[in-house]
Amino acid sequence: MTATLPTATTAPERPVGGPYSWLALLRLALRSRRLALGLGVLAVFALTALIGPWLADDPDAVSVDLGQGPSGAHWLGTTQTGQDVFAQLVVSARGTLVIGAAAAVIATVVSVVIGIGGGFLGGVADETISLISNVFLVIPGLPLVIVVAAYVKGDGVFSTILVIALTSWAASARVLRAQTLSLRTRDYVLAARVYGEKRWRIVLVEIVPNELAIIVSQFIHAVIFAVLTQAGLAFLGLADPSYLTWGTMLYFAQNAEALTGGAWWWFVPPGLCIALLGTALSLVSFGLDEVLDPRLRTRRPRKEKKKR
């Protein structure tokens, strides 16, 4: 049997142009408390990373105050060599966000190309890509990152970004592939093929816009994974110690036995910032899901008050 394809007079409607316009989605986004709170915390971190290093003191400068607690001169105390912890925290915000965003961008691009491309093309290409993805997925994430980071030649922040990106694309690619396998059989995609649309145009116009919510969600989770992974690599001494991040602050604090020495002001602030950043990104992801998914933004009916 042959599939019945829509004619030019009865072109199928695309989900992208559904009953919710971009203006309606913007109104829903402004009413989302989770999204507003998450974006607010992210804005604080972004502003700190952007202008903080210019306003803070030199994080490498030493003073006579060795291992001192928080005070008026040093808001978050000092390290064992007299370096200001607050200055290190502010400067490290830029390094952490740069690594997280850069690794997430690379991982998302790779997952989009592999997941959507393989799912749309099908055949041997799809089977090969699916096999490679499954190999990456069955290996535990952190041990894989540690092994790759130990054997990658060259130091520096770019090596860390590359290692995190190349070990974090498989899960997203698998999700996008599954969604693409479903979308490529939809009426509007079949109609585009009948009308003679080129493959790349079908992917960019018909497939990618309908997976934009998934791509954004996967990007946010990739940022969280990159930040946590970089902190883990830095804590284990596998990252560049000269590039200040919240992870390297934990690494130096651990080497100086700040935890056993009671210097909580050295390791609590970077750990708290990592937790707040991950929470803010999760809130943004949940808020976007509420805005973009009609099933999540449907309000529950109010319970009727009991009659006395």
Side-chain angles (χ1 to χ4, degrees):
M1 296 179 64
T2 58
T4 302
L5 299 178
T7 60
T9 57
T10 59
E13 295 182 358
R14 293 169 172 79
V16 175
Y20 294 95
S21 63
W22 290 107
L23 186 59
L25 291 177
L26 180 59
R27 295 197 196 98
L28 292 170
L30 293 176
R31 288 201 295 258
S32 176
R33 295 180 180 178
R34 292 179 178 180
L35 185 59
L37 180 59
L39 290 177
V41 176
L42 287 181
V44 172
F45 282 127
L47 189 63
T48 302
L50 185 63
I51 65 175
W54 295 343
L55 301 179
D57 297 332
D58 185 4
D60 296 325
V62 296
S63 64
V64 294
D65 299 325
L66 306 181
Q68 299 296 318
S71 62
H74 305 283
W75 293 354
L76 291 179
T78 60
T79 66
Q80 64 174 2
T81 56
Q83 296 169 325
D84 189 82
V85 175
F86 178 76
Q88 291 185 346
L89 188 72
V90 171
V91 175
S92 297
R94 176 179 292 183
T96 301
L97 293 182
V98 166
I99 291 178
V105 167
I106 297 175
T108 302
V109 171
V110 173
S111 63
V112 167
V113 172
I114 292 179
I116 297 180
F120 182 77
L121 294 176
V124 178
D126 182 35
E127 293 296 333
T128 303
I129 291 173
S130 179
L131 178 61
I132 296 174
S133 301
N134 291 334
V135 170
F136 274 88
L137 289 174
V138 297
I139 302 176
L142 186 57
L144 176 62
V145 174
I146 292 175
V147 171
V148 175
Y151 283 94
V152 168
K153 295 181 179 180
D155 297 327
V157 63
F158 181 74
S159 298
T160 303
I161 293 173
L162 196 60
V163 167
I164 296 174
L166 294 181
T167 54
S168 60
W169 60 268
S172 300
R174 187 179 181 88
V175 174
L176 293 173
R177 173 184 175 270
Q179 185 67 14
T180 304
L181 290 175
S182 174
L183 290 177
R184 73 177 185 176
T185 58
R186 300 290 176 88
D187 290 343
Y188 54 88
V189 176
L190 296 176
R193 289 181 172 179
V194 172
Y195 298 152
E197 295 283 353
K198 296 181 180 179
R199 288 185 176 182
W200 65 267
R201 181 173 176 82
I202 295 176
V203 171
L204 294 180
V205 177
E206 311 293 350
I207 302 295
V208 173
N210 289 293
E211 297 190 39
L212 189 59
I214 299 177
I215 295 173
V216 172
S217 177
Q218 296 294 334
F219 171 77
I220 293 174
H221 288 289
V223 175
I224 299 175
F225 176 82
V227 171
L228 294 178
T229 303
Q230 193 280 331
L233 291 176
F235 186 78
L236 295 174
L238 297 176
D240 184 6
S242 64
Y243 190 77
L244 272 181
T245 63
W246 293 329
T248 54
M249 289 185 64
L250 294 175
Y251 168 73
F252 289 124
Q254 185 266 343
N255 284 348
E257 299 181 353
L259 180 61
T260 57
W264 60 266
W265 57 87
W266 193 353
F267 59 85
V268 169
L272 185 60
C273 286
I274 293 174
L276 285 176
L277 180 61
T279 303
L281 290 169
S282 298
L283 289 174
V284 171
S285 179
F286 295 150
L288 290 176
D289 287 341
E290 291 179 351
V291 172
L292 298 176
D293 193 339
R295 295 170 296 180
L296 297 179
R297 61 171 174 254
T298 301
R299 295 181 179 179
R300 297 179 179 178
R302 295 181 180 179
K303 297 182 179 180
E304 296 182 359
K305 297 181 179 179
K306 297 181 179 180
K307 296 182 180 180
R308 294 181 179 177

